[in-house]
Amino acid sequence: MATKSDAVALPGARAVARHVRVSPMKARRVVDLVRGMPAKEALTVLKFAPQAASEQVYKVLASAVANAENNERLDPDSLLVRAAFVDEGPTLKRFRPRAQGRAYRIRKRTCHITIEVESVVAAGQRRGQAAPAPAPAKATATAGTAKAAPAKASKATAAVEDADVEDVVDEAPEVVEEPEAAVEEKPAKKAAAKKAPKKAAKPAEEETE
């Protein structure tokens, strides 16, 4: 839990369950499922997890969320599982009688489950990730381009208006006359090509007669 002397600590809370009658290895399997997940989603995962240790881990996580909500006045929906770890507790030693008067040792292991939660929004503000201020800059840039475009268009229209209209009229007939001259020359060549064979054919007919 954050204290007054620790100003660097992120706002959050923690909960610890000590001397839980679960093996540390079995509890770590469940804790690894929810580490780094949102608190609400982690509670749902633990609720439907098939492992026996999920019930104990669920209680610890729910207690951490309640501590953050009541003691630190944090929003439960913005909580994230920052840290979750399991420490080995004291081992209860028992004996089982076996054949020929022997006794086998039975170790009943315990563990300490610790879960810490933090507020995601507060962490983002601390790291400088939640500072979305480039939107107005883009808007001003687009506005500047929009203003520049009409200015360019007005300059182009002014240049066209200042141009001499008589020069354009004088150049127009030259462009139109070139295709007409080409059209008149092509039929003349074709007619000359057609008339030449006819003249050569008439003497041949006279000779045959």
Side-chain angles (χ1 to χ4, degrees), residues 59-93:
K59 292 180 180 180
V60 178
L61 179 57
S63 178
V65 173
N67 292 339
E69 183 179 2
N70 297 324
N71 300 340
E72 303 295 336
R73 300 294 187 270
L74 297 176
D75 186 10
D77 296 332
S78 66
L79 295 178
L80 183 75
V81 180
R82 176 176 59 188
F85 53 90
V86 178
D87 297 326
E88 186 176 359
T91 301
L92 305 178
K93 299 175 177 62

CSV table of all heavy atoms in Angstrom, one decimal, residues 59-93:
chain,number,residue,atom,x,y,z
A,59,LYS,N,-9.8,-15.3,-3.6
A,59,LYS,CA,-10.1,-14.5,-2.4
A,59,LYS,C,-9.1,-13.4,-2.1
A,59,LYS,O,-9.4,-12.3,-1.7
A,59,LYS,CB,-10.2,-15.5,-1.2
A,59,LYS,CG,-11.4,-16.4,-1.2
A,59,LYS,CD,-11.3,-17.3,0.0
A,59,LYS,CE,-12.5,-18.3,0.0
A,59,LYS,NZ,-12.5,-19.2,1.2
A,60,VAL,N,-7.8,-13.8,-2.4
A,60,VAL,CA,-6.8,-12.8,-2.2
A,60,VAL,C,-6.9,-11.6,-3.2
A,60,VAL,O,-6.8,-10.4,-2.8
A,60,VAL,CB,-5.4,-13.4,-2.3
A,60,VAL,CG1,-4.3,-12.4,-2.1
A,60,VAL,CG2,-5.2,-14.6,-1.3
A,61,LEU,N,-7.2,-11.9,-4.4
A,61,LEU,CA,-7.3,-10.9,-5.4
A,61,LEU,C,-8.6,-10.0,-5.1
A,61,LEU,O,-8.5,-8.8,-5.3
A,61,LEU,CB,-7.4,-11.5,-6.8
A,61,LEU,CG,-7.6,-10.5,-8.0
A,61,LEU,CD1,-6.5,-9.5,-8.0
A,61,LEU,CD2,-7.7,-11.3,-9.3
A,62,ALA,N,-9.6,-10.6,-4.7
A,62,ALA,CA,-10.8,-9.9,-4.4
A,62,ALA,C,-10.6,-8.9,-3.2
A,62,ALA,O,-11.1,-7.8,-3.2
A,62,ALA,CB,-12.0,-10.8,-4.1
A,63,SER,N,-9.8,-9.4,-2.2
A,63,SER,CA,-9.4,-8.6,-1.1
A,63,SER,C,-8.5,-7.4,-1.5
A,63,SER,O,-8.7,-6.2,-1.0
A,63,SER,CB,-8.7,-9.4,-0.1
A,63,SER,OG,-8.3,-8.6,1.0
A,64,ALA,N,-7.6,-7.6,-2.5
A,64,ALA,CA,-6.8,-6.5,-2.9
A,64,ALA,C,-7.6,-5.5,-3.7
A,64,ALA,O,-7.4,-4.2,-3.5
A,64,ALA,CB,-5.7,-7.1,-3.8
A,65,VAL,N,-8.6,-5.9,-4.5
A,65,VAL,CA,-9.4,-5.0,-5.2
A,65,VAL,C,-10.3,-4.2,-4.2
A,65,VAL,O,-10.5,-2.9,-4.3
A,65,VAL,CB,-10.3,-5.7,-6.2
A,65,VAL,CG1,-11.3,-4.8,-6.8
A,65,VAL,CG2,-9.5,-6.3,-7.3
A,66,ALA,N,-10.8,-4.8,-3.2
A,66,ALA,CA,-11.6,-4.1,-2.1
A,66,ALA,C,-10.7,-3.1,-1.4
A,66,ALA,O,-11.2,-2.0,-1.1
A,66,ALA,CB,-12.2,-5.1,-1.2
A,67,ASN,N,-9.5,-3.4,-1.1
A,67,ASN,CA,-8.6,-2.5,-0.4
A,67,ASN,C,-8.3,-1.3,-1.3
A,67,ASN,O,-8.3,-0.1,-0.8
A,67,ASN,CB,-7.3,-3.2,0.0
A,67,ASN,CG,-7.4,-4.2,1.0
A,67,ASN,OD1,-8.4,-4.2,1.8
A,67,ASN,ND2,-6.5,-5.2,1.1
A,68,ALA,N,-8.1,-1.5,-2.5
A,68,ALA,CA,-7.9,-0.3,-3.4
A,68,ALA,C,-9.1,0.5,-3.6
A,68,ALA,O,-9.0,1.8,-3.7
A,68,ALA,CB,-7.4,-0.8,-4.8
A,69,GLU,N,-10.3,-0.1,-3.6
A,69,GLU,CA,-11.5,0.7,-3.7
A,69,GLU,C,-11.9,1.5,-2.4
A,69,GLU,O,-12.3,2.7,-2.5
A,69,GLU,CB,-12.6,-0.2,-4.1
A,69,GLU,CG,-14.0,0.5,-4.4
A,69,GLU,CD,-15.0,-0.5,-4.8
A,69,GLU,OE1,-14.8,-1.7,-4.9
A,69,GLU,OE2,-16.2,0.0,-5.1
A,70,ASN,N,-11.7,0.8,-1.3
A,70,ASN,CA,-12.2,1.5,0.0
A,70,ASN,C,-11.1,2.3,0.6
A,70,ASN,O,-11.4,3.4,1.2
A,70,ASN,CB,-12.6,0.4,1.0
A,70,ASN,CG,-13.8,-0.4,0.4
A,70,ASN,OD1,-14.7,0.2,-0.2
A,70,ASN,ND2,-13.8,-1.7,0.7
A,71,ASN,N,-9.8,1.8,0.6
A,71,ASN,CA,-8.8,2.6,1.3
A,71,ASN,C,-8.1,3.6,0.4
A,71,ASN,O,-7.8,4.7,0.9
A,71,ASN,CB,-7.7,1.6,1.8
A,71,ASN,CG,-8.3,0.6,2.7
A,71,ASN,OD1,-9.3,0.8,3.3
A,71,ASN,ND2,-7.6,-0.6,2.9
A,72,GLU,N,-7.9,3.3,-0.9
A,72,GLU,CA,-7.2,4.3,-1.8
A,72,GLU,C,-8.2,5.0,-2.7
A,72,GLU,O,-7.7,5.9,-3.4
A,72,GLU,CB,-6.2,3.5,-2.6
A,72,GLU,CG,-5.2,2.7,-1.8
A,72,GLU,CD,-4.3,3.6,-1.0
A,72,GLU,OE1,-4.1,4.8,-1.4
A,72,GLU,OE2,-3.7,3.1,0.0
A,73,ARG,N,-9.5,4.7,-2.6
A,73,ARG,CA,-10.5,5.4,-3.5
A,73,ARG,C,-10.1,5.3,-5.0
A,73,ARG,O,-10.2,6.3,-5.7
A,73,ARG,CB,-10.6,6.9,-3.1
A,73,ARG,CG,-11.0,7.1,-1.6
A,73,ARG,CD,-12.4,6.7,-1.4
A,73,ARG,NE,-12.9,7.0,0.0
A,73,ARG,CZ,-12.7,6.3,1.0
A,73,ARG,NH1,-12.1,5.1,1.0
A,73,ARG,NH2,-13.2,6.7,2.2
A,74,LEU,N,-9.8,4.1,-5.4
A,74,LEU,CA,-9.5,3.9,-6.8
A,74,LEU,C,-10.6,3.2,-7.5
A,74,LEU,O,-11.5,2.5,-6.9
A,74,LEU,CB,-8.2,3.0,-6.9
A,74,LEU,CG,-6.9,3.6,-6.4
A,74,LEU,CD1,-5.8,2.6,-6.5
A,74,LEU,CD2,-6.6,4.9,-7.1
A,75,ASP,N,-10.7,3.4,-8.8
A,75,ASP,CA,-11.8,2.8,-9.6
A,75,ASP,C,-11.5,1.3,-9.8
A,75,ASP,O,-10.4,1.0,-10.3
A,75,ASP,CB,-11.9,3.5,-10.9
A,75,ASP,CG,-13.1,3.0,-11.8
A,75,ASP,OD1,-13.9,2.2,-11.2
A,75,ASP,OD2,-13.2,3.3,-13.0
A,76,PRO,N,-12.4,0.4,-9.4
A,76,PRO,CA,-12.1,-1.0,-9.6
A,76,PRO,C,-11.8,-1.4,-11.1
A,76,PRO,O,-11.1,-2.4,-11.4
A,76,PRO,CB,-13.3,-1.7,-9.0
A,76,PRO,CG,-13.9,-0.7,-8.1
A,76,PRO,CD,-13.6,0.6,-8.7
A,77,ASP,N,-12.5,-0.7,-12.0
A,77,ASP,CA,-12.3,-1.1,-13.4
A,77,ASP,C,-11.0,-0.7,-14.0
A,77,ASP,O,-10.6,-1.2,-15.1
A,77,ASP,CB,-13.4,-0.4,-14.2
A,77,ASP,CG,-14.8,-0.8,-13.9
A,77,ASP,OD1,-14.9,-2.0,-13.4
A,77,ASP,OD2,-15.8,-0.1,-14.0
A,78,SER,N,-10.2,0.2,-13.3
A,78,SER,CA,-8.9,0.6,-13.8
A,78,SER,C,-7.8,-0.1,-13.2
A,78,SER,O,-6.6,0.3,-13.3
A,78,SER,CB,-8.8,2.1,-13.6
A,78,SER,OG,-8.7,2.4,-12.2
A,79,LEU,N,-8.1,-1.1,-12.4
A,79,LEU,CA,-7.0,-1.8,-11.6
A,79,LEU,C,-6.4,-2.9,-12.5
A,79,LEU,O,-7.0,-3.6,-13.3
A,79,LEU,CB,-7.6,-2.4,-10.4
A,79,LEU,CG,-8.1,-1.5,-9.3
A,79,LEU,CD1,-8.7,-2.2,-8.1
A,79,LEU,CD2,-7.0,-0.5,-8.9
A,80,LEU,N,-5.1,-3.1,-12.3
A,80,LEU,CA,-4.3,-4.1,-13.0
A,80,LEU,C,-3.5,-4.9,-12.0
A,80,LEU,O,-3.0,-4.3,-11.0
A,80,LEU,CB,-3.4,-3.4,-14.0
A,80,LEU,CG,-2.5,-4.3,-14.9
A,80,LEU,CD1,-3.4,-4.9,-16.0
A,80,LEU,CD2,-1.4,-3.5,-15.5
A,81,VAL,N,-3.3,-6.2,-12.2
A,81,VAL,CA,-2.6,-7.0,-11.3
A,81,VAL,C,-1.1,-6.8,-11.6
A,81,VAL,O,-0.5,-7.3,-12.6
A,81,VAL,CB,-2.9,-8.5,-11.5
A,81,VAL,CG1,-2.1,-9.4,-10.6
A,81,VAL,CG2,-4.4,-8.8,-11.3
A,82,ARG,N,-0.5,-5.9,-10.8
A,82,ARG,CA,0.9,-5.5,-11.0
A,82,ARG,C,1.9,-6.7,-10.6
A,82,ARG,O,2.8,-6.9,-11.3
A,82,ARG,CB,1.2,-4.3,-10.1
A,82,ARG,CG,2.7,-3.9,-10.2
A,82,ARG,CD,2.9,-2.6,-9.5
A,82,ARG,NE,2.5,-2.7,-8.1
A,82,ARG,CZ,2.4,-1.7,-7.2
A,82,ARG,NH1,2.7,-0.5,-7.6
A,82,ARG,NH2,2.1,-1.9,-5.9
A,83,ALA,N,1.7,-7.3,-9.4
A,83,ALA,CA,2.6,-8.3,-9.0
A,83,ALA,C,1.7,-9.4,-8.3
A,83,ALA,O,0.8,-9.1,-7.6
A,83,ALA,CB,3.6,-7.8,-8.0
A,84,ALA,N,2.1,-10.6,-8.5
A,84,ALA,CA,1.5,-11.8,-7.8
A,84,ALA,C,2.6,-12.9,-7.6
A,84,ALA,O,3.1,-13.3,-8.6
A,84,ALA,CB,0.3,-12.3,-8.6
A,85,PHE,N,2.8,-13.2,-6.4
A,85,PHE,CA,3.8,-14.2,-6.1
A,85,PHE,C,3.4,-15.1,-4.9
A,85,PHE,O,2.6,-14.7,-4.1
A,85,PHE,CB,5.2,-13.6,-5.9
A,85,PHE,CG,5.2,-12.5,-4.9
A,85,PHE,CD1,5.5,-12.8,-3.5
A,85,PHE,CD2,4.9,-11.2,-5.2
A,85,PHE,CE1,5.5,-11.8,-2.6
A,85,PHE,CE2,5.0,-10.2,-4.3
A,85,PHE,CZ,5.2,-10.5,-2.9
A,86,VAL,N,4.1,-16.2,-4.8
A,86,VAL,CA,3.8,-17.2,-3.8
A,86,VAL,C,5.1,-17.5,-3.1
A,86,VAL,O,6.1,-17.9,-3.7
A,86,VAL,CB,3.1,-18.4,-4.3
A,86,VAL,CG1,2.9,-19.4,-3.2
A,86,VAL,CG2,1.8,-18.1,-5.0
A,87,ASP,N,5.1,-17.4,-1.7
A,87,ASP,CA,6.2,-17.8,-0.9
A,87,ASP,C,5.9,-19.1,-0.2
A,87,ASP,O,4.8,-19.4,0.2
A,87,ASP,CB,6.6,-16.7,0.1
A,87,ASP,CG,7.0,-15.4,-0.6
A,87,ASP,OD1,7.6,-15.5,-1.7
A,87,ASP,OD2,6.7,-14.3,-0.1
A,88,GLU,N,7.0,-19.8,0.1
A,88,GLU,CA,6.8,-21.1,0.9
A,88,GLU,C,6.6,-20.8,2.4
A,88,GLU,O,7.4,-20.0,3.0
A,88,GLU,CB,8.0,-22.0,0.6
A,88,GLU,CG,7.8,-23.3,1.3
A,88,GLU,CD,9.0,-24.3,0.9
A,88,GLU,OE1,9.9,-23.8,0.2
A,88,GLU,OE2,9.0,-25.4,1.4
A,89,GLY,N,5.6,-21.4,3.0
A,89,GLY,CA,5.3,-21.3,4.4
A,89,GLY,C,5.9,-22.4,5.2
A,89,GLY,O,6.6,-23.3,4.6
A,90,PRO,N,5.6,-22.5,6.4
A,90,PRO,CA,6.1,-23.6,7.3
A,90,PRO,C,5.4,-24.9,6.8
A,90,PRO,O,4.3,-25.0,6.4
A,90,PRO,CB,5.6,-23.2,8.7
A,90,PRO,CG,4.5,-22.3,8.5
A,90,PRO,CD,4.8,-21.5,7.2
A,91,THR,N,6.2,-26.0,7.0
A,91,THR,CA,5.7,-27.3,6.6
A,91,THR,C,5.3,-28.1,7.8
A,91,THR,O,6.1,-28.2,8.8
A,91,THR,CB,6.8,-28.1,5.8
A,91,THR,OG1,7.2,-27.3,4.6
A,91,THR,CG2,6.3,-29.5,5.4
A,92,LEU,N,4.1,-28.6,7.8
A,92,LEU,CA,3.6,-29.5,8.9
A,92,LEU,C,4.1,-30.9,8.7
A,92,LEU,O,3.8,-31.5,7.6
A,92,LEU,CB,2.1,-29.4,9.0
A,92,LEU,CG,1.5,-28.0,9.2
A,92,LEU,CD1,0.0,-28.0,9.2
A,92,LEU,CD2,2.0,-27.2,10.4
A,93,LYS,N,4.7,-31.5,9.7
A,93,LYS,CA,5.3,-32.8,9.6
A,93,LYS,C,4.4,-33.8,10.3
A,93,LYS,O,4.2,-33.7,11.5
A,93,LYS,CB,6.7,-32.8,10.1
A,93,LYS,CG,7.7,-31.9,9.3
A,93,LYS,CD,9.0,-31.9,9.9
A,93,LYS,CE,9.9,-31.0,9.1
A,93,LYS,NZ,9.5,-29.6,9.1
